[in-house]
Amino acid sequence: MEQYAIWGGNPLVGEVEIGGAKNAALPILAASLLTDDTVLIDNMPDIRDINVLLDAMKGIGVVVERLGRHQVKINAAHIHTTAIEGEGIRKMRASYYFLGALLGKYKSASVGLPGGCEIGTRAIDQHIKGFKALGAKVRMEHGMIITEAIDLTGAHIFLDVVSVGATINLMMAAVLAEGLTVIENVAKEPHVVDVANFLNSMGANIKGAGTDVIRIRGVKSLHGSEYTVIPDQIEAGTFMMAAAITKGDVTVKNIIPKHLECISAKLKEIGCEVQDSDDAVRVVASRVLRGTQVKTMPYPGFPTDMQPQISVTLGLSAGTSIVRESIFENRFRYLEELSKMGANVTIEGNVAILEGVEKYEGAAISATDLRAGAALVLAALAAEGFSTVDHIHYIERGYEDFPEKLNGLGGHIKRVTNADELKRARLKVV
Ligand code: UD1
């Protein structure tokens, strides 16, 4: 019964350090399979998804050495199979990155069908379409996706939907292919650019990452590299929203303000003060917040991974807010949990209408996925009274030291594992 026990009602105040970006680190780890040389990666977050991926890599013979909590050395010269299986990997969406990396290097890959958070259909047809365009065959067998090629040859690929996963996977599959690959209508997220930078640091020739068109000129081989993962845009955004929802004053450090512009803009719109410096952003919420409209979009639009965090904040903001989810079709399930805390929400298809209430009240709630889980924790920190949040394994997939960082800002949140610890947390006995 792992749960967070939370006493709400305190404004969060202080400074918090942001870790490396999960959604950059996962494909960067997979991309390190593309060279026989040793790769050193820094600013790797210590979270469950990363550890599952590293274990899967060890399972196929990759030498993984942790040099510190956030630094890992990888050598994939002697893998003994290109098939990646296992319970953990099946639960994780990012396992699809092994397809692109292993296909690119060994012309063969089999991966247990990807899972991840249950937030919609999450097809991978665009990945498959791209692999086929490069000359690979793709089939499904016993719950595995199998892709093989004799040779990979550069191709012109037009993505039908803007997909982070397909963009990164196709870059990895194409870096060692013969000739030029052009991928159009690609995702422009900071983590797409980070993976391209990492591949280029290993000797790849990728141009245009961060724009709508990526051009990849195939090279013969890639070499070792030392690379630092960018800061996590979504972890940073979550703490910015924690300041807003608790009427606090939080400085989020070790970030790239440019990556947070769409979040900062919305926070200003609802009445927060937002101050940027070189590698930090401060959010002060001293006034009554007002509702607004949000529509999730591919970068540089408002990220779907911040939709739950801003929605719980809008639920406490004056007036009517309208949140339109345009990336994933099943991303409002947490709102039922939020209603248990007193939120006034109506859902119509992919639109949530929130009538701002004055306060939330503590309740026993469940995380429904990673970002929704984090958002519900924020709601509980803002609520009057005591809450429990269960299914925290979702949250631990993507947030390092989440309770510790929140407590560092004056929150009261404790990870409990049994009834006795829960009782003590409820009674505020340390
Ligand atoms: C990644 C992130 C996730 C984030 C999402 C959007 C990782 C591990 N996960 O997920 O946190 O919420 O980007 O920023 O980095 N689609 C297709 N066919 C495809 C691929 C995608 O139809 O082949 C659709 C999806 O169903 C979705 C949309 O495209 O509606 C965007 O998906 P995509 O950008 O691929 O998300 P993920 O890579 O799964």
Side-chain angles (χ1 to χ4, degrees):
M1 63 149 286
E2 286 146 4
Q3 290 183 323
Y4 289 148
I6 300 169
W7 276 102
N10 263 15
L12 296 191
V13 177
E15 295 182 349
V16 62
E17 287 274 342
I18 297 308
K22 166 176 103 59
N23 289 349
L26 291 166
I28 282 175
L29 285 179
S32 66
L33 301 180
L34 282 157
T35 176
D36 287 342
D37 293 350
T38 297
V39 164
L40 187 74
I41 304 164
D42 210 346
N43 206 28
M44 185 64 56
D46 184 13
I47 51 176
R48 193 165 290 175
D49 271 11
I50 292 289
N51 295 325
V52 169
L53 209 82
L54 285 171
D55 283 345
M57 288 167 66
K58 286 185 205 158
I60 61 165
V62 178
V63 180
V64 175
E65 201 185 327
R66 282 235 183 229
L67 303 181
R69 189 172 181 201
H70 300 124
Q71 206 180 41
V72 64
K73 200 159 124 183
I74 290 166
N75 186 285
H78 301 292
I79 67 165
H80 51 74
T81 172
T82 56
I84 296 210
E85 250 284 54
E87 191 52 23
I89 214 72
R90 271 185 192 275
K91 288 199 183 128
M92 205 169 104
R93 175 97 177 142
S95 56
Y96 55 42
Y97 286 133
F98 288 128
L99 287 170
L102 290 168
L103 178 68
K105 176 85 190 301
Y106 299 100
K107 315 284 181 285
S108 155
S110 319
V111 177
L113 278 175
C117 286
E118 290 153 24
I119 52 174
T121 322
R122 308 192 79 174
I124 61 160
D125 56 305
Q126 298 305 304
H127 305 232
I128 293 171
K129 169 176 145 171
F131 294 153
K132 286 184 174 167
L134 295 170
K137 290 204 160 51
V138 185
R139 64 183 197 279
M140 312 279 174
E141 235 169 58
H142 311 300
M144 304 278 282
I145 304 179
I146 301 170
T147 177
E148 284 162 335
I150 296 179
D151 282 311
L152 293 173
T153 312
H156 199 130
I157 303 163
F158 201 108
L159 296 181
D160 301 326
V161 289
V162 177
S163 159
V164 170
T167 303
I168 294 178
N169 231 347
L170 295 178
M171 282 197 303
M172 294 196 290
V175 277
L176 297 174
E178 183 74 35
L180 179 71
T181 297
V182 179
I183 318 173
E184 302 215 37
N185 196 29
V186 294
K188 296 180 277 202
E189 267 69 2
H191 32 289
V192 172
V193 179
D194 206 37
V195 180
N197 287 342
F198 172 61
L199 289 165
N200 284 341
S201 80
M202 293 200 292
N205 182 349
I206 302 175
K207 296 209 167 86
T211 74
D212 293 315
V213 185
I214 292 180
R215 288 185 163 72
I216 304 153
R217 173 79 56 191
V219 294
K220 286 267 172 280
S221 65
L222 297 182
H223 53 70
S225 167
E226 289 187 12
Y227 196 78
T228 302
V229 176
I230 52 165
D232 197 303
Q233 177 205 28
I234 306 299
E235 189 196 4
T238 302
F239 281 98
M240 291 165 74
M241 222 47 84
I245 194 173
T246 64
K247 306 281 185 300
D249 177 349
V250 174
T251 301
V252 179
K253 295 174 77 176
N254 182 33
I255 49 106
I256 299 174
K258 174 87 193 142
H259 296 166
L260 299 166
E261 273 173 358
C262 47
I263 301 164
S264 300
K266 277 293 156 197
L267 284 171
K268 285 180 193 161
E269 214 172 282
I270 65 173
C272 294
E273 271 172 67
V274 183
Q275 298 155 13
D276 286 351
S277 57
D278 284 352
D279 66 350
V281 57
R282 179 177 175 199
V283 178
V284 187
S286 49
R287 286 177 295 212
V288 175
L289 301 181
R290 49 184 181 269
T292 190
Q293 304 211 355
V294 177
K295 181 179 181 189
T296 61
M297 299 283 281
Y299 190 82
F302 193 88
T304 175
D305 284 357
M306 282 300 299
Q307 180 263 104
Q309 301 89 317
I310 195 158
S311 297
V312 298
T313 307
L314 294 176
L316 284 182
S317 304
T320 306
S321 292
I322 296 181
V323 179
R324 191 177 295 271
E325 173 55 59
S326 74
I327 309 289
F328 293 112
E329 75 270 23
N330 191 14
R331 217 168 181 176
F332 284 140
R333 289 190 310 149
Y334 68 95
L335 288 174
E336 210 173 293
E337 299 299 298
L338 194 66
S339 302
K340 293 180 191 165
M341 305 180 90
N344 182 349
V345 193
T346 317
I347 301 170
E348 287 175 13
N350 67 341
V351 177
I353 302 146
L354 297 116
E355 298 293 345
V357 294
E358 263 179 33
K359 61 180 168 65
Y360 293 147
E361 271 159 20
I365 47 178
S366 272
T368 51
D369 64 59
L370 164 58
R371 304 303 172 184
L376 291 170
V377 168
L378 302 191
L381 285 163
E384 220 171 71
F386 184 72
S387 295
T388 53
V389 179
D390 61 18
H391 291 147
I392 59 170
H393 58 93
Y394 283 123
I395 302 172
E396 290 174 346
R397 285 185 44 205
Y399 289 88
E400 179 180 310
D401 296 341
F402 199 39
E404 290 80 1
K405 287 184 181 183
L406 291 166
N407 286 338
L409 297 170
H412 292 289
I413 166 166
K414 190 163 171 43
R415 186 182 195 282
V416 296
T417 55
N418 58 50
D420 190 45
E421 282 176 7
L422 176 60
K423 197 164 120 197
R424 292 167 72 83
R426 193 188 293 273
L427 294 172
K428 291 192 178 167
V429 181
V430 189

